[in-house]
Amino acid sequence: MPSNIMQQISADLESLNRSERKVAEVILADPQAATRSSIAVLARAAQVSEPTVNRFCKRFNTAGFPDFKLHLAQALAHGVPYVSRSVEPDDDSESYTNKIIDATIAALVTAKKTVDPQTINLAVDQLIQAKQIMFFGLGASWPVAQDAQHKFFRFNIPVVAYDDVLMQRMTAAASSTGDVIVIISYTGRTRELVDVAELARASGATVVGITAPNSPLAQHCSIVVEVDAPEDTDVYMPMTSRIMHLTVIDILATGVTLRRGPDFLKHLKNIKDSLKETRYPAK
Amino acid sequence: MPSNIMQQISADLESLNRSERKVAEVILADPQAATRSSIAVLARAAQVSEPTVNRFCKRFNTAGFPDFKLHLAQALAHGVPYVSRSVEPDDDSESYTNKIIDATIAALVTAKKTVDPQTINLAVDQLIQAKQIMFFGLGASWPVAQDAQHKFFRFNIPVVAYDDVLMQRMTAAASSTGDVIVIISYTGRTRELVDVAELARASGATVVGITAPNSPLAQHCSIVVEVDAPEDTDVYMPMTSRIMHLTVIDILATGVTLRRGPDFLKHLKNIKDSLKETRYPAK
DNA sequence: AAGAAATTACGTAAATTTATAACCTTTCCA
DNA sequence: TGGAAAGGTTATAAATTTACGTAATTTCTT
């Protein structure tokens, strides 16, 4: 079944014959309308016969016209564009707001397919029994590392986060079996972090990478949580990548929480409640 | 037209009469299957007559059964869950991985409806002409503030981020007209930050809040970007909220970039390219 | 509180719309 | 000129919807 039928149609437009192309054009012109039309209405709009529309549908691996409409509807769902359009110079605020949210959603949908629960499980295995956990990140990944530290301190395991390359090197070199070092890097190609991973493993620590598959960094980790975001080329700033990394952090933190068992939830609640004093009461 | 028909069905379940509830239950049990069934098959499964199914569909503001299926298909598209189920104690890694990603996506879908592009525009107006920008956040919002700092330094405006309450107070007190202070707080009820907002406004600075609508903090801001996430009660850790805040940061940064015009993209590219030296080449 | 009236719930059957299969005509190329 | 290939016509089957009637439930009397 086609993952996105709109893309398919525009891609295959060339290879269609005359009448079927008419159908394709009518659909592409107003896909929303197509989902609401009957085969008769659509055929008339494209000035072809009904069976032609039906044959067109089957060409795209759908059971028939109703099934085709279902696929079309899915492709149009959420107003998420069938190809997440990138931000254009003359977009207004509404336009770029929606585009960015769409792109982020699209990235997470991809992440859902990419992230391997087995690997998560392995990583949680290590984290749960760590003597000490260290989160390393540079640049845009540094806030991610800090966020992780902010989550994991709750587990009563010594946790630190460093963005200072020298501290990272020294800590990695000084680490030992039972320590877990989590390195967060979008590209996985930052030399410094690859070095750090090597150092850490040489010292006997477990290195968990949250990074791109098959990257130099990935090759030096004990466990790699693969996050394969499309390059954020649009405006030259890391956007969706770090959101995906944060989501991985959430998943790992949840995994550890669950392993700790139900009693541990009380502990978490205490931590949360400790903030009450600092706040105005909820209305 | 219902924004998400699955939510509607589960919400209205109570108010349905006996036969229609049977239909609802069959659909909720396996919505995917429902989209592929004919009205006859569905009626049989629910042990009701076909017109009952049809009436059920119309009750949800759809034209009829086929139209209903279309809405259903849209609600199920992308694997986005209609209600994000919360993590259960005996979930395995696959299960909680998917649940967390789903919850994050659901939050963003909500954000898309909640975030007001007009307000974004106003905030960008202020940011673009700021003499100086300051990002303040505490706890889980501190990494968000840092991330913002990491984005906004590219704009050649002095940008700082503080998580130290005393520094925040002092900076707020010392600020003046033309300074923009962005305060990030999920609840909007942290006393310290409300104080800081008051101080800053008294000094003449513009205060942009990224926080909950109608919160105490919101009341003391010049501009409020409203982010109304459902409480992350599940495991007592902030998860989706900060992702939404980061997305708002992305949107603001994009808005500023676009205002700067096309030449500015070259500048951004230069910054990005400056990292080349530190990396292994892409394969 | 009993029973009549009215409303609502829901099924049967018929009507209508919609989709598909089977078959036929045209076109165009070898 | 034979024969694919494309596309239309007709016929049929399937699915959906409307119309209507009966049973069940609620509401209103007295």
Side-chain angles (χ1 to χ4, degrees), chain B residues 1-275:
Chain B
M1 81 191 116
S3 67
N4 187 331
I5 205 151
M6 285 293 278
Q7 286 173 338
Q8 289 245 352
I9 296 173
S10 26
D12 297 2
L13 201 65
E14 299 307 310
S15 66
L16 293 174
N17 39 41
R18 200 164 50 258
S19 296
E20 292 185 343
R21 192 169 315 171
K22 282 195 228 166
V23 178
E25 276 158 10
V26 169
I27 292 171
L28 290 174
D30 191 351
Q32 278 292 345
T35 60
R36 292 186 218 296
S37 315
S38 74
I39 196 169
V41 170
L42 194 66
R44 190 133 28 83
Q47 301 195 291
V48 299
S49 69
E50 297 173 23
T52 298
V53 176
N54 201 273
R55 282 188 283 260
F56 172 87
C57 297
K58 291 192 171 170
R59 206 168 279 261
F60 289 95
N61 300 316
T62 62
F65 185 68
D67 188 39
F68 176 84
K69 285 204 291 188
L70 241 52
H71 282 270
L72 200 56
Q74 299 216 340
L76 300 173
H78 293 300
V80 176
Y82 61 97
V83 276
S84 47
R85 302 150 304 157
S86 56
V87 175
E88 308 283 344
D90 49 359
D91 279 344
D92 61 8
S93 62
E94 180 170 354
S95 180
Y96 66 74
T97 299
N98 285 325
K99 282 179 177 180
I100 287 174
I101 297 178
D102 285 351
T104 311
I105 293 173
L108 284 165
V109 171
T110 312
K112 196 170 167 183
K113 292 173 203 143
T114 318
V115 174
D116 176 30
Q118 291 272 305
T119 311
I120 294 288
N121 217 19
L122 291 176
V124 172
D125 285 343
Q126 295 299 320
L127 290 169
I128 197 94
Q129 58 184 20
K131 278 198 324 228
Q132 193 186 173
I133 303 176
M134 288 158 263
F135 291 98
F136 295 170
L138 296 175
S141 297
W142 165 232
V144 178
Q146 263 200 306
D147 184 86
Q149 199 262 345
H150 182 266
K151 285 215 159 50
F152 277 78
F153 87 90
R154 292 156 211 251
F155 298 128
N156 289 330
I157 308 168
V159 185
V160 292
Y162 290 122
D163 71 328
D164 176 334
V165 179
L166 298 181
M167 281 306 294
Q168 289 173 354
R169 289 190 88 96
M170 291 190 287
T171 319
S175 65
S176 61
T177 311
D179 291 344
V180 177
I181 294 185
V182 182
I183 302 182
I184 302 156
S185 167
Y186 170 49
T187 62
R189 302 203 316 269
T190 308
R191 289 171 198 278
E192 289 291 353
L193 289 177
V194 178
D195 286 359
V196 168
E198 276 188 288
L199 279 170
R201 291 198 69 186
S203 314
T206 302
V207 177
V208 176
I210 301 179
T211 190
N214 304 118
S215 58
L217 175 58
Q219 261 130 47
H220 288 87
C221 294
S222 324
I223 298 172
V224 182
V225 180
E226 300 186 347
V227 178
D228 193 8
E231 265 284 357
D232 326 89
T233 44
D234 294 342
V235 281
Y236 305 113
M237 285 186 248
M239 291 193 174
T240 57
S241 55
R242 73 205 201 301
I243 302 247
M244 294 169 85
H245 291 164
L246 282 169
T247 307
V248 169
I249 298 293
D250 287 349
I251 294 169
L252 292 174
T254 303
V256 173
T257 304
L258 290 182
R259 293 279 188 90
R260 284 293 178 90
D263 291 343
F264 187 65
L265 288 175
K266 261 181 266 157
H267 169 71
L268 290 181
K269 189 164 186 333
N270 288 341
I271 293 177
K272 189 180 182 185
D273 289 346
S274 73
L275 294 176

Side-chain angles (χ1 to χ4, degrees), chain A residues 112 146-147 189 242 280, chain B residues 102 146-147 189 242 280:
Chain A
K112 197 171 167 181
Q146 263 199 306
D147 184 87
R189 301 204 316 269
R242 73 204 200 303
Y280 290 105
Chain B
D102 285 351
Q146 263 200 306
D147 184 86
R189 302 203 316 269
R242 73 205 201 301
Y280 291 105

